[in-house]
Amino acid sequence: MSRYQRITDKLTAALQPTVLELRDISHTHAGHDAAGIETHFTLKVASPHFAGLTRVQQHQLVNAALADEYENGLHALAIT
C-alpha cells in the first residue's frame, strides 16, 4: 500500500474528516523522490474533532495519527 493511501486511511479513521485533500509533492523536492518514495505532502483537512481546538491542537491530532509515518520516512506535511 502506498504512503498516500496509508495517510488517507489513518486520517479517515482518526478524524472522520468532512474534507480531506492530500497531495504528494515529493517530486518538487530534489533528492526526496528517489524511486517513487513519497516523502512530502500537502494536506487540507476539516474534521468535527477540531471543534473548539486551537490550530496547534488540530495539527497535533493530525501528527499523532501519522506518528508511525513520520518514523518511517514521511519527511514533511504542510497542513491547512
Side-chain angles (χ1 to χ4, degrees), residues 5-48:
Q5 190 60 54
R6 288 193 312 267
I7 290 172
T8 299
D9 291 350
K10 289 173 183 178
L11 292 177
T12 298
L15 302 175
Q16 293 91 37
T18 56
V19 173
L20 188 124
E21 296 173 16
L22 183 65
R23 287 186 345 128
D24 180 0
I25 59 167
S26 301
H27 65 282
T28 66
H29 296 271
H32 289 278
D33 191 30
I37 297 171
E38 303 160 297
T39 57
H40 290 69
F41 291 86
T42 61
L43 172 67
K44 179 178 180 181
V45 62
S47 168

